[in-house]
Amino acid sequence: MTTFHEPSRDLPVIHEADVCVLGGSCTGLFAAVRAARLGARVVIVEKDNCFGGIATTAMVNVWHSLWNTSGDRQIIAGLTEEVIDRLDRRGALKRNEKTHPSVGFAFNSEELKIELDELAREARLKIYFHTQFAAPAPINENGRLAAVFVENKSGRGAIRARVFIDATGDADLAARLGCETYLANHLQPATACARFSGWDTLGDTAGRLGELLRTRGPAHHLPPTFAWGCRVPGAATYMLAATRVHGINPAQADDLTHGEIEGRRQVRAIMNILREAAPDSRLALEALPSRLGLRESRHIRSSYQLTGDDVLSGRPFEDTIAQGSYRVDVHHQDKPGITLRYLDGTEEYCAPGAYVRSRWRPETPTNPTFYQVPYRTLLPLNGPENVIVAGRMLDVDPIAHAAVRVMVNMNQTGEAAGVAAVLALETGQPLASLNPGLLRAKLIEGGSAL
Ligand SMILES: Cc1cc2nc3c(=O)[nH]c(=O)nc-3n(C[C@H](O)[C@H](O)[C@H](O)COP(=O)(O)OP(=O)(O)OC[C@H]3O[C@@H](n4cnc5c(N)ncnc54)[C@H](O)[C@@H]3O)c2cc1C
């Protein structure tokens, strides 16, 4: 490869804080807010123009249940519940049954953007939007990261902090620090969502979307897919997630570029199929996401990989920092449709024109009703002692990832990272040496339902 030498230069320190969070989805923002509420000075860096990550920029507007599968124990609270209540007061949320395995809450992603701005403002965060994390500073002689370099319209600058939280979804900081990361053999496919007006004018055709995609999709060069969608609360639009972009590595720029264009092409192809089937409808494209929806990219290697077996058996951990009840939900790369695996031992395979219900294990007298995520899965092996990750890059096998990746779970990893950062500052200990009991107690004190 031909190379150019980039001359080295001194960069201005544009901000100094106790805690620096990279990535501003709810995961990153909740980390920042929890740290700030405990008195830390916090800066948060987001490459897009708003908070929320996939919930806003990729239009995914569904959060799952905050309860266990039997509905007799609330297992998630904290900032997720706080934001749900705030959106509800705005009329920007629809609540469903508390134990529904799929849809707990549908919300208006545009309202969420503003609500998250408010949350950040109240917590007095220093916010950098349109700012990309570019590289870490060299590790200092104490084995600590002292600064990161960011790039925005004003140029390149350094942010100094005492603890860094990588909430970039793709483990950008961990990877650039040289920490070990890995990609699953079959990454879950990416999806470009879209919002439509005139959905109701499709009449019965809307209900036949799966069948239409199966029969007419190939002529429109659509891969076999799985389609779901929901009305956007407080708006006259319908959010549809029905495209499927295979073979994308979200840590590769060329793949991302191809994925964005292919996702939008598929949205148009789906619209054409719907219009052919319902020529009198008034279906119109209202909005496309500002970025492709990514389900999976790099994972960090930590001292413990959470397994599908841990999740499906509800294994308890001494250092649990997050809990969930969302089913295992594998979006296949190698065949159409999805496989849903439940804690009660049942399994469903769903694809356009195909539905098979079976068991993945024999019946047992009792079943777990929720699963747990240990703190260890957020700590990069051999990473600097003041760096932690939060979000979908945690250390998980593919089956565990298929369950824990959803936002109500990832939001909790953010809250845990934020509280851990403050505890590390208060005790002077490396993040990996924190007392898990103390961390859990602090999380509960701040509103978590552990
Ligand atoms: C189509 C689709 C449907 C889904 N359906 C659901 C669902 O119904 N319910 C559900 O709960 N989950 C769903 N998921 C999964 C869920 O959305 C993700 O797993 C979750 O959002 C991951 O959160 P995260 O914070 O780890 O990553 P992200 O939401 O991707 O957030 C990462 C943030 O970091 C920022 N960032 C990245 N790199 C940099 C950088 N270098 N510098 C600065 N900022 C950076 C990004 O802009 C982004 O804001 C779905 C996902 C997809 C794609």
Side-chain angles (χ1 to χ4, degrees):
M1 185 200 279
T2 318
T3 60
F4 263 106
H5 174 69
E6 185 181 15
S8 62
R9 57 192 158 138
D10 291 333
L11 293 178
V13 174
I14 59 170
H15 194 78
E16 293 195 47
D18 297 320
V19 179
C20 172
V21 182
L22 303 173
S25 68
C26 289
T27 310
L29 179 63
F30 289 4
V33 170
R34 286 294 288 256
R37 286 185 182 177
L38 290 171
R41 296 168 306 140
V42 185
V43 55
I44 182 162
V45 175
E46 167 55 49
K47 69 177 170 57
D48 286 332
N49 71 342
C50 62
F51 293 119
I54 285 174
T56 53
T57 56
M59 296 180 168
V60 176
N61 65 333
V62 166
W63 279 353
H64 301 292
S65 177
L66 306 186
W67 293 71
N68 66 351
T69 54
S70 47
D72 52 14
R73 176 168 169 185
Q74 185 170 354
I75 53 166
I76 303 170
L79 285 168
T80 301
E81 188 172 40
E82 197 175 314
V83 168
I84 285 169
D85 290 342
R86 292 168 74 132
L87 288 172
D88 206 3
R89 288 198 288 276
R90 290 275 321 158
L93 183 100
K94 180 170 182 299
R95 290 176 191 264
N96 292 291
E97 278 180 49
K98 66 184 182 185
T99 56
H100 192 288
S102 182
V103 186
F105 310 88
F107 53 83
N108 182 314
S109 294
E110 303 307 315
E111 292 266 9
L112 178 64
K113 287 179 187 171
I114 304 172
E115 209 55 58
L116 297 179
D117 285 344
E118 289 293 304
L119 199 65
R121 193 180 50 78
E122 290 159 14
R124 298 174 182 276
L125 306 182
K126 169 64 185 171
I127 303 164
Y128 284 102
F129 283 144
H130 292 287
T131 302
Q132 176 125 7
F133 156 73
I139 300 304
N140 68 21
E141 61 281 3
N142 303 321
R144 295 174 66 85
L145 177 65
V148 291
F149 305 135
V150 299
E151 181 108 28
N152 59 24
K153 279 283 182 190
S154 310
R156 204 169 165 93
I159 295 178
R160 284 175 65 137
R162 295 160 69 200
V163 178
F164 293 86
I165 299 174
D166 179 350
T168 60
D170 303 322
D172 282 0
L173 172 61
R176 286 180 195 188
L177 279 165
C179 301
E180 188 186 344
T181 61
Y182 60 93
L183 288 175
N185 288 338
H186 295 287
L187 282 179
Q188 295 218 12
T191 292
C193 299
R195 284 201 292 259
F196 295 95
S197 61
W199 191 260
D200 290 338
T201 67
L202 287 169
D204 296 345
T205 302
R208 292 195 297 121
L209 177 60
E211 174 211 322
L212 288 168
L213 290 175
R214 183 171 55 87
T215 53
R216 301 191 190 181
H220 292 259
H221 307 290
L222 287 176
T225 187
F226 175 79
W228 66 272
C230 69
R231 276 166 217 291
V232 178
T237 49
Y238 188 83
M239 196 290 298
L240 181 69
T243 65
R244 190 164 269 211
V245 185
H246 291 279
I248 296 287
N249 175 354
Q252 295 290 340
D254 282 347
D255 279 16
L256 281 176
T257 305
H258 159 74
E260 295 287 359
I261 294 169
E262 172 60 13
R264 290 194 280 265
R265 184 197 70 77
Q266 290 188 21
V267 168
R268 175 172 284 184
I270 291 167
M271 268 189 84
N272 290 346
I273 289 172
L274 287 167
R275 282 175 168 170
E276 280 164 23
D280 297 331
S281 77
R282 292 189 302 283
L283 185 71
L285 183 58
E286 285 281 317
L288 285 167
S290 51
R291 73 175 166 109
L292 184 66
L294 303 170
R295 290 190 173 83
E296 187 170 21
S297 73
R298 293 187 196 107
H299 292 280
I300 60 146
R301 188 75 67 197
S302 74
S303 65
Y304 186 80
Q305 184 181 58
L306 186 71
T307 65
D309 193 43
D310 291 336
V311 165
L312 287 165
S313 65
R315 184 170 173 192
F317 296 98
E318 198 183 56
D319 59 340
T320 291
I321 45 82
Q323 304 179 143
S325 59
Y326 184 63
R327 58 202 175 179
V328 167
D329 166 358
V330 181
H331 288 246
H332 299 291
Q333 275 280 11
D334 49 350
K335 61 178 178 182
I338 59 173
T339 295
L340 303 170
R341 200 170 277 182
Y342 296 89
L343 294 172
D344 68 0
T346 58
E347 180 172 293
E348 294 168 304
Y349 172 68
C350 318
Y355 176 79
V356 181
R357 192 176 161 81
S358 57
R359 295 195 66 83
W360 60 269
R361 66 159 166 77
E363 283 197 46
T364 45
T366 57
N367 297 306
T369 60
F370 66 98
Y371 48 81
Q372 308 190 8
V373 179
Y375 175 61
R376 282 162 280 172
T377 57
L378 306 180
L379 296 166
L381 210 55
N382 303 323
E385 63 175 48
N386 60 338
V387 171
I388 185 168
V389 308
R392 60 184 155 84
M393 74 286 252
L394 77 173
D395 195 1
V396 279
D397 77 6
I399 295 293
H401 176 75
V404 303
R405 68 187 170 85
V406 295
M407 293 181 267
V408 290
N409 298 341
M410 295 300 93
N411 294 349
Q412 297 171 77
T413 65
E415 295 186 64
V419 171
V422 174
L423 279 182
L425 291 174
E426 284 175 358
T427 61
Q429 286 182 309
L431 285 157
S433 308
L434 293 180
N435 175 333
L438 188 61
L439 173 58
R440 285 167 50 81
K442 268 274 187 232
L443 278 163
I444 293 166
E445 212 177 284
S448 300
L450 292 173

